[in-house]
Amino acid sequence: ASDGELAWPLIREKRPDIVITDIKMPFMDGLQLAALIRRELPDTRIVILSGYSEFSYAQEALRLGVAEYLLKPITPRNLREVIRKLAESVREDKRKQEERIDWQEEESREKQETARRNLFRALISENVSSGEILALAQEAQIRLVAPIYQIILVYASYKENVKNQEMADSLLETITDGLEECCLFAHTVDSKAALLTARSAEELQEKRDALEKKVASVVGTLEEPHYFISEGRPVQH
């Protein structure tokens, strides 16, 4: 861009990791542009090229958090070295951000799993009120309120083959995929508990049939599958 005013919409659109700008430009100078970038794109590195050695310019650049303030004349070699250093810094920051996101996602999954375990324990306990159960369901981000419920237990055992058991565990996690408002819980080491909710007995039957068909297709992909399904009776509470 030939000046700061033309550069700004391009920067907002492209969101670059590094911006190199002259300090002296028509319409909008480099410091004004740097201020806009810093306010809207705080992670963008800014390199200012300046023929002005007055301390006030450098002081304002430091205040704006400019990454580099280079006095002219600048050699291509020096500029390349600066860009290389900033590129490494950008990559390192992105790596740390990805690690932070992965950690946050893992922490969120662990909290969700704990909330689901707490909910399942409450559901099979006779000493927990409906209000407490609904509060736990909200914490687990599970929509629990429905006219009719049913629990399905799915067992699959591969004690002689650890690899097969791991595959079975992984596959069983998928048995509720595609079933609307169907919650899956860990029951025992080799079983899962699926909580079906429905608006009518007919809809519950459809979900039950779909689940059992999915279980058969999933477990049937393993060698010598050993599994069975246990159905609880439909209830309204």
Side-chain angles (χ1 to χ4, degrees), residues 62-151:
L62 287 171
R63 188 187 69 80
L64 290 170
V66 168
E68 295 286 345
Y69 186 89
L70 306 178
L71 291 176
K72 298 174 183 178
I74 302 157
T75 66
R77 181 179 178 179
N78 288 343
L79 186 56
R80 280 198 302 270
E81 180 60 26
V82 166
I83 298 304
R84 186 193 63 78
K85 184 178 71 173
L86 292 178
E88 287 179 359
S89 172
V90 168
R91 283 191 287 268
E92 179 64 16
D93 279 2
K94 288 186 175 181
R95 184 186 65 79
K96 289 179 179 177
Q97 185 177 15
E98 287 171 359
E99 287 180 353
R100 187 163 56 249
I101 290 171
D102 290 343
W103 178 80
Q104 289 171 342
E105 288 177 351
E106 180 62 27
E107 185 181 42
S108 177
R109 280 194 294 269
E110 287 178 1
K111 286 183 178 178
Q112 186 81 350
E113 186 59 33
T114 299
R116 293 175 80 90
R117 283 197 298 269
N118 291 339
L119 173 60
F120 186 67
R121 280 197 292 266
L123 285 169
I124 60 176
S125 169
E126 296 182 357
N127 302 316
V128 183
S129 69
S130 298
E132 290 173 303
I133 287 174
L134 291 175
L136 289 169
Q138 187 173 14
E139 185 180 340
Q141 298 179 5
I142 290 174
R143 187 175 173 182
L144 197 62
V145 178
I148 191 167
Y149 307 89
Q150 186 173 19
I151 285 280

Side-chain angles (χ1 to χ4, degrees), residues 19-235:
V19 170
I20 305 171
T21 175
D22 204 319
I23 201 169
K24 191 69 172 177
M25 297 184 292
F27 306 112
M28 182 189 295
D29 66 32
L31 291 176
Q32 292 172 323
L33 179 61
L36 290 172
I37 295 170
R38 183 57 59 239
R39 186 162 61 243
E40 192 159 326
L41 302 170
D43 293 331
T44 296
R45 272 68 167 175
I46 304 168
V47 178
I48 286 185
L49 312 179
S50 174
Y52 299 83
S53 57
E54 287 88 346
F55 181 67
S56 60
Y57 287 104
Q59 191 177 38
E60 178 64 11
L62 287 171
R63 188 187 69 80
L64 290 170
V66 168
E68 295 286 345
Y69 186 89
L70 306 178
L71 291 176
K72 298 174 183 178
I74 302 157
T75 66
R77 181 179 178 179
N78 288 343
L79 186 56
R80 280 198 302 270
E81 180 60 26
V82 166
I83 298 304
R84 186 193 63 78
K85 184 178 71 173
L86 292 178
E88 287 179 359
S89 172
V90 168
R91 283 191 287 268
E92 179 64 16
D93 279 2
K94 288 186 175 181
R95 184 186 65 79
K96 289 179 179 177
Q97 185 177 15
E98 287 171 359
E99 287 180 353
R100 187 163 56 249
I101 290 171
D102 290 343
W103 178 80
Q104 289 171 342
E105 288 177 351
E106 180 62 27
E107 185 181 42
S108 177
R109 280 194 294 269
E110 287 178 1
K111 286 183 178 178
Q112 186 81 350
E113 186 59 33
T114 299
R116 293 175 80 90
R117 283 197 298 269
N118 291 339
L119 173 60
F120 186 67
R121 280 197 292 266
L123 285 169
I124 60 176
S125 169
E126 296 182 357
N127 302 316
V128 183
S129 69
S130 298
E132 290 173 303
I133 287 174
L134 291 175
L136 289 169
Q138 187 173 14
E139 185 180 340
Q141 298 179 5
I142 290 174
R143 187 175 173 182
L144 197 62
V145 178
I148 191 167
Y149 307 89
Q150 186 173 19
I151 285 280
I152 308 288
L153 301 181
V154 182
Y155 297 81
S157 182
Y158 296 88
K159 290 182 171 57
E160 298 82 12
N161 189 320
V162 175
K163 185 178 179 181
N164 246 356
Q165 184 62 55
E166 290 173 351
M167 289 176 63
D169 292 342
S170 177
L171 288 170
L172 283 176
E173 293 291 345
T174 71
I175 61 175
T176 55
D177 290 355
L179 292 179
E180 186 181 355
E181 296 177 12
C182 179
C183 311
L184 189 68
F185 303 95
H187 180 228
T188 64
V189 173
D190 53 5
S191 68
K192 303 289 181 183
L195 172 63
L196 307 184
T197 60
R199 289 177 287 273
S200 66
E202 291 76 20
E203 184 185 35
L204 186 65
Q205 180 67 53
E206 289 175 5
K207 287 188 175 184
R208 188 166 59 241
D209 291 346
L211 177 70
E212 293 176 359
K213 185 178 179 181
K214 183 72 177 290
V215 170
S217 65
V218 162
V219 183
T221 60
L222 301 174
E223 295 179 10
E224 299 180 9
H226 300 281
Y227 73 95
F228 68 91
I229 296 168
S230 175
E231 295 183 1
R233 61 184 178 85
V235 295

